[in-house]
Amino acid sequence: AIDYLTQAGAQAMAQVAYAEAADQFNHAVELLERILPERRAQLADTLLLLGRAQMATGEAGDARASLLRSVDVAGEIGAIERRATAAMELMDVAQAFTFEDIGVLQRAFSDMPNQDSQLRARVMSRLALLMTLPGFDRTPHAGELDAKQLATEALAMARRIDEPAIIAEALRTAYDVLAAYEDVDQRLAIATEMLSLAERIGSPQLEFIARSLRVIAFLLTGRVDEADREIAAYEAIATTYHLPFNFWSVTTKKAMRAFMRGDLTTSESLMERARALGQRADPDLSPVTYVWQSFFLRREQDRLGELEATLTAEADAHRTDWSGTFWQGLLAVLYADSGRFEQASAIISELVAPGAGAILPDTVSSFRLAVLALLADACATIDDDTHAPILVTAMEPHAHMFISPGNNLAFLGPVSHYLGRLLATMKERARAESQFRAALEAEARTVTPILRTQTLGAYAGLLAGSDDRLGDAQHLLDEANELAVRFNLPRATRIVRSLQRSRIACHSP
């Protein structure tokens, strides 16, 4: 019965029927524990299979429990490879593993023989990737290994072994560890090689990862048509295999793209659909993503105050983890928008210390630029010329890029928009104009009307301070007003008309 259940589970996994596979493996585990408890190696293997199936169905908590039990059982019988395999796959449990779990993997790695093997290459890749997490440097495991050295050795070993799946995993680590965030071309090349390997070995899960990474690279360079093709391909695979997590993920991407196009109604509808899908697919990550996406939507609907209690609670709850600075950045924007300049300034001062050589060093690389953008937005709104120069210095190396944090949960537009607003705050008119012109060109290329209205308004505000440029300022505001009305953008409409009344009218003869 155990053999048949295990075979049935393996067949279900091959057919991407993950829920059925989890049921079969779970029954096999129950029989092993109740009738044949002496078969410890078989129990460890079956628990590993169960954990994989539970991960595929999005049952993160159950998957973590099964994999930890597999690690323990393998450790009891001194099965080094079984223990390392289960410990490594424990790291695949999205939003559920802990730094203590990383210690489990590190201890398993230390017991492995120092020779080429598929498993050793995979473990090195995974450890290197985990070591880039914010906060890892404060754990008991910090300093024992070097992430870049591990990633380099893992990729070299994978290429020596010449197994496509192992090379793909090492490339995934290289994407984050060996290629800097701003090296978009290098990251795109890595993701493209991963996609080629995924198609070669017929791995839908690897193809999901590769296409997601390509979407990120395309959006960071403003190549929205290519990003759309990747999203469509991603959705086609999710539809073919009926995978809940990937249905949720692609729906969040489509909500983000609808927002980019200025279609608030469709974006909100997709966000609500993603919220429902995420309750089953990833109950830990999906509520956070929903709130983050809601922030940008509610802001443009002029309803941001509805989220204040949630943002305040989450910013306090996550102050010490990897997402803490992002929550703080959102809260700073809310305070600035609602006229509470002292509270916004307090957050900016906390995160941007004058004279600091590095800003936000503990922030995940894909979120760091987004946090800088949020702080720049708040800084410009409250006219904070003390911290503006520090933010300009931090953002200028990325002036050619666009901002899309995390796994495409939002699109914050070109970096040049934020540099323009900061430089305007610093009264550096010529440099600000240059950045605003670059932003308008980038927003036209990516067809992002919400962001364009913001740039037009900020640029007009800069020009309105000069009598010889009032005509130019009025022209910019007229275009901003037309966009705001055409796309039914409540916040943009209010701001543009306020600018028309105050900044332009005060200079009228």
Side-chain angles (χ1 to χ4, degrees):
I2 292 167
D3 289 343
Y4 280 126
L5 286 166
T6 305
Q7 290 172 31
Q11 186 177 37
M13 286 292 286
Q15 295 173 345
V16 201
Y18 298 137
E20 179 184 341
D23 286 340
Q24 303 286 12
F25 292 136
N26 192 50
H27 288 316
V29 166
E30 290 174 352
L31 286 176
L32 279 166
E33 292 184 314
R34 182 159 53 89
I35 298 174
L36 299 170
E38 69 278 6
R39 294 195 181 181
R40 308 304 283 170
Q42 188 175 4
L43 176 60
D45 292 344
T46 311
L47 283 165
L48 175 63
L49 295 172
L50 174 60
R52 288 172 178 167
Q54 289 167 329
M55 273 193 288
T57 62
E59 304 293 338
D62 291 342
R64 179 175 183 269
S66 297
L67 292 169
L68 280 172
R69 287 183 63 205
S70 182
V71 169
D72 291 341
V73 173
E76 291 172 10
I77 60 176
I80 294 173
E81 289 200 356
R82 282 186 171 92
R83 180 185 172 205
T85 300
M88 184 190 62
E89 298 206 20
L90 179 62
M91 303 299 104
D92 286 330
V93 185
Q95 299 295 310
F97 70 81
T98 66
F99 280 119
E100 182 180 337
D101 295 339
I102 298 176
V104 172
L105 178 61
Q106 201 161 4
R107 289 189 293 274
F109 173 65
S110 65
D111 291 337
M112 297 181 70
N114 186 12
Q115 59 190 35
D116 280 8
S117 72
Q118 293 186 15
L119 180 58
R120 185 174 177 83
R122 293 186 68 202
V123 172
M124 286 196 297
S125 293
R126 190 55 51 86
L127 273 175
L129 190 60
L130 295 166
M131 289 169 66
T132 64
L133 293 175
F136 183 86
D137 58 338
R138 296 189 293 273
T139 69
H141 325 296
E144 298 176 16
L145 298 169
D146 179 80
K148 289 191 175 182
Q149 181 180 350
L150 274 178
T152 301
E153 292 178 3
L155 184 56
M157 184 180 293
R159 294 198 187 282
R160 287 196 300 271
I161 295 169
D162 196 26
E163 173 59 43
I166 307 303
I167 296 172
E169 191 159 354
L171 286 169
R172 175 66 188 91
T173 294
Y175 181 92
D176 279 331
V177 179
L178 300 181
Y181 181 71
E182 60 272 16
D183 292 335
V184 182
D185 290 342
Q186 184 181 356
R187 286 187 158 200
L188 180 58
I190 291 172
T192 301
E193 185 179 353
M194 288 175 63
L195 180 59
S196 176
L197 288 168
E199 293 171 339
R200 176 178 161 190
I201 64 180
S203 169
Q205 290 296 348
L206 179 58
E207 186 171 351
F208 281 129
I209 295 171
R211 291 197 182 279
S212 285
L213 296 179
R214 281 166 59 84
V215 172
I216 293 170
F218 288 139
L219 287 180
L220 291 179
T221 50
R223 296 154 69 179
V224 293
D225 290 341
E226 291 167 281
D228 283 341
R229 285 193 286 272
E230 291 298 322
I231 292 171
Y234 187 109
E235 184 173 24
I237 310 168
T239 301
T240 299
Y241 293 105
H242 304 286
L243 302 178
F245 178 86
N246 302 107
F247 270 131
W248 165 75
S249 181
V250 77
T251 306
T252 64
K253 291 174 171 60
K254 291 169 69 177
M256 173 271 298
R257 281 294 289 123
F259 183 85
M260 283 179 65
R261 294 190 298 269
D263 188 346
L264 301 187
T265 301
T266 300
S267 182
E268 183 166 15
S269 176
L270 287 166
M271 284 169 48
E272 292 298 334
R273 183 183 175 203
R275 184 185 196 182
L277 291 169
Q279 289 176 353
R280 175 168 178 253
D282 195 327
D284 296 312
L285 182 59
S286 62
V288 176
T289 301
Y290 176 77
V291 174
W292 285 346
Q293 289 196 322
S294 294
F295 175 90
F296 300 101
L297 177 73
R298 295 289 180 248
R299 190 186 190 199
E300 295 313 315
Q301 292 174 330
D302 236 1
R303 297 166 52 190
L304 192 52
E306 296 174 15
L307 293 178
E308 181 169 351
T310 299
L311 293 177
T312 302
E314 295 292 348
D316 288 340
H318 296 280
R319 186 170 289 273
T320 59
D321 68 25
W322 68 268
S323 65
T325 55
F326 192 71
W327 287 111
Q328 290 290 101
L330 296 176
L331 203 54
V333 171
L334 182 147
Y335 288 147
D337 279 6
S338 57
R340 286 171 283 178
F341 289 6
E342 288 187 7
Q343 289 169 281
S345 180
I347 293 176
I348 296 170
S349 298
E350 180 182 350
L351 298 180
V352 185
I359 304 176
L360 312 176
D362 289 335
T363 304
V364 174
S365 60
S366 62
F367 278 87
R368 180 176 181 272
L369 196 53
V371 176
L372 290 172
L374 293 171
L375 296 175
D377 189 317
C379 188
T381 299
I382 68 174
D383 202 26
D384 177 358
D385 57 3
T386 299
H387 297 99
I390 305 170
L391 288 166
V392 167
T393 300
M395 299 187 77
E396 269 188 322
H398 312 288
H400 61 290
M401 295 177 66
F402 294 77
I403 306 169
S404 184
N407 193 8
N408 310 125
L409 65 94
F411 185 79
L412 277 62
V415 172
S416 49
H417 164 85
Y418 302 94
L419 287 172
R421 293 184 63 193
L422 290 168
L423 290 165
T425 299
M426 295 161 57
K427 307 298 187 293
E428 295 199 23
R429 177 172 154 176
R431 292 176 66 196
E433 278 202 67
S434 175
Q435 293 296 338
F436 281 139
R437 286 194 294 268
L440 290 174
E441 186 279 327
E443 289 151 2
R445 180 159 47 92
T446 53
V447 193
T448 47
I450 294 173
L451 298 167
R452 188 173 180 84
T453 59
Q454 295 173 1
T455 302
L456 289 165
Y459 193 3
L462 174 70
L463 299 185
S466 303
D467 290 338
D468 61 332
R469 301 296 298 277
L470 286 180
D472 294 334
Q474 187 61 60
H475 176 74
L476 293 170
L477 284 178
D478 287 343
E479 182 184 347
N481 186 64
E482 188 274 328
L483 286 172
V485 172
R486 190 200 323 167
F487 289 94
N488 191 23
L489 306 175
R491 174 176 175 268
T493 300
R494 173 178 57 79
I495 291 175
V496 169
R497 291 181 180 173
S498 175
L499 284 168
Q500 287 176 324
R501 287 192 302 269
S502 63
R503 299 199 176 198
I504 304 301
C506 67
H507 291 277
S508 298

